[in-house]
Amino acid sequence: MQLNNFTGIFSEYFANLFIQTSSLPLISNPSVLEGFEGFVSLLYKKDNQSINGIKYLFKHQLNTIQIENSNKLLLAFSGGKDSIAAVHLAKEKGFDIVLYHLSGVNRAYNHELQHAQNIAKELGLPLIVEKCTIKGKLPYKEHPIKNALILSKMVDFGLLSGISQFAFGNHYSYKFEVSEFDTDFSDSIECFEELEKGYKNYIPNFKIHSFLRNDKHAFEVLIKHSLNLLSKLSSCLLPPYRKPNVVRANMKFGNVLLVGRCGSCYKCALEYHLAHEANVLSVEYSQDYLAKCKRILKQKNVDLS
Ligand SMILES: [Zn+2]
């Protein structure tokens, strides 16, 4: 595995860690894990040396770095629902927002950069774009330290630009739980909290803000502030080549689908459910399809509070 364009103080370190952890197998017995510490220590066990927690991930002996206090915020931006909602909440809190997009991390989505640029323009905010390449096989659907890798590039950028505050479109109610289906450590609040603690050792006024509670919260913020963007956003999980068949199957409920959505994954079900609750679509809602959405959401244990 090879990562290019990770040459800053922090990004070089996290790129190495990313490579090391990529060659390790995913844990086979999740039930033995106890949250963050257990996950990281098992995941990063190498050469019989176990590492506990992100406090040990920062092994460099660096001097403290002083960054002047300001209300500047560097916000990781994909142009998706969550990152747009995070922008609106950050604005409400008075931050001076600069958007940041690291192109090349999500190799499957090659339109992502163009999309992020279009949406940033619509929001009228500056967008910093940095590019990287990751070559080689990725054993994880979501690499456990993907966001930590992106953040390390952002922090390196922040060092040069006098920014010590950062944000992602993460949900602060998203706790790290290992289950048979889900080991998304990268987006968990525990991961962000541990990263903040780690960076604070070097940058005293370092801060990671988490603005969003859950999917529903993000959707509500989006409806309130960027309803016009809704049709351009889709968090649909179904690969495009499978969409036509699934969409056709869902047409039996009437013309109820949002543009670009399959209608059967839990993200699509959630959007329809929330759109109905907020009554934002100028369509007649199908009660049968709403019931189907509820079943999908129940199966996925989606937090609708
Ligand atoms: Zn879908």
Side-chain angles (χ1 to χ4, degrees):
M1 165 156 286
Q2 203 193 340
L3 273 69
N4 292 323
N5 206 10
F6 291 89
T7 52
I9 299 173
F10 293 110
S11 56
E12 187 180 7
Y13 179 69
F14 273 94
N16 282 327
L17 196 70
F18 191 91
I19 292 168
Q20 283 172 36
T21 53
S22 291
S23 61
L24 300 176
L26 200 62
I27 308 106
S28 56
N29 184 3
S31 62
V32 302
L33 301 181
E34 279 174 36
F36 172 78
E37 294 271 322
F39 181 68
V40 174
S41 66
L42 276 185
L43 192 71
Y44 298 159
K45 201 172 267 183
K46 234 184 165 243
D47 306 319
N48 294 323
Q49 240 189 328
S50 102
I51 303 167
N52 292 301
I54 278 188
K55 55 183 184 261
Y56 295 106
L57 303 185
F58 294 88
K59 64 179 180 188
H60 290 306
Q61 291 300 312
L62 292 175
N63 292 326
T64 306
I65 303 164
Q66 296 295 345
I67 297 179
E68 213 178 301
N69 279 326
S70 77
N71 65 342
K72 273 192 192 169
L73 178 76
L74 193 62
L75 195 152
F77 190 74
S78 66
K81 166 180 116 275
D82 292 330
S83 58
I84 297 172
V87 164
H88 290 301
L89 294 177
K91 250 189 206 167
E92 277 180 0
K93 290 191 186 322
F95 285 105
D96 178 6
I97 305 164
V98 177
L99 305 177
Y100 179 93
H101 184 85
L102 183 59
S103 166
V105 174
N106 292 319
R107 291 183 296 180
Y109 313 112
N110 44 18
H111 303 303
E112 204 183 41
L113 172 60
Q114 184 66 55
H115 177 75
Q117 284 170 326
N118 291 344
I119 303 288
K121 211 170 170 188
E122 299 233 18
L123 293 171
L125 287 170
L127 175 71
I128 304 296
V129 176
E130 292 197 296
K131 295 191 180 179
C132 71
T133 53
I134 301 176
K135 285 182 193 150
K137 202 166 161 270
L138 284 181
Y140 306 108
K141 199 168 122 244
E142 276 287 74
H143 193 290
I145 65 160
K146 182 181 108 176
N147 283 335
L149 184 73
I150 296 171
L151 179 65
S152 68
K153 285 283 289 180
M154 292 169 71
V155 178
D156 282 336
F157 180 86
L159 294 181
L160 301 173
S161 323
I163 301 175
S164 63
Q165 302 191 78
F166 302 86
F168 281 70
N170 63 302
H171 300 163
Y172 55 77
S173 72
Y174 189 84
K175 294 262 190 315
F176 172 60
E177 281 166 27
V178 182
S179 74
E180 215 179 313
F181 311 104
D182 208 350
T183 49
D184 189 358
F185 172 68
S186 189
D187 283 320
S188 70
I189 190 67
E190 287 89 346
C191 177
F192 288 106
E193 283 172 356
E194 292 301 321
L195 283 167
E196 182 178 276
K197 274 188 232 159
Y199 278 109
K200 257 185 184 299
N201 292 328
Y202 306 107
I203 307 167
N205 57 350
F206 183 93
K207 179 100 188 116
I208 301 175
H209 296 274
S210 295
F211 297 111
L212 297 163
R213 188 172 61 248
N214 55 17
D215 271 318
K216 184 180 177 189
H217 186 205
F219 198 80
E220 283 167 356
V221 173
L222 199 68
I223 286 170
K224 188 173 164 200
H225 297 280
S226 282
L227 187 57
N228 60 318
L229 296 179
L230 195 62
S231 64
K232 294 181 191 169
L233 305 171
S234 170
S235 47
C236 180
L237 299 170
L238 200 77
Y241 74 91
R242 286 188 55 202
K243 252 182 216 169
N245 281 337
V246 177
V247 169
R248 219 171 295 136
N250 279 319
M251 284 309 223
K252 69 175 181 214
F253 295 106
N255 191 14
V256 299
L257 302 175
L258 302 171
V259 182
R261 276 76 167 170
C262 76
S264 280
C265 74
Y266 87 92
K267 292 275 189 187
C268 288
L270 182 70
E271 283 183 358
Y272 193 77
H273 169 81
L274 294 174
H276 171 255
E277 281 206 337
N279 197 17
V280 288
L281 297 181
S282 49
V283 297
E284 208 174 299
Y285 291 91
S286 154
Q287 292 307 315
D288 288 345
Y289 182 60
L290 279 168
K292 177 183 171 168
C293 291
K294 276 213 170 120
R295 282 197 301 278
I296 295 170
L297 295 173
K298 205 173 165 201
Q299 248 173 22
K300 274 297 283 187
N301 279 327
V302 175
D303 173 18
L304 292 174
S305 56

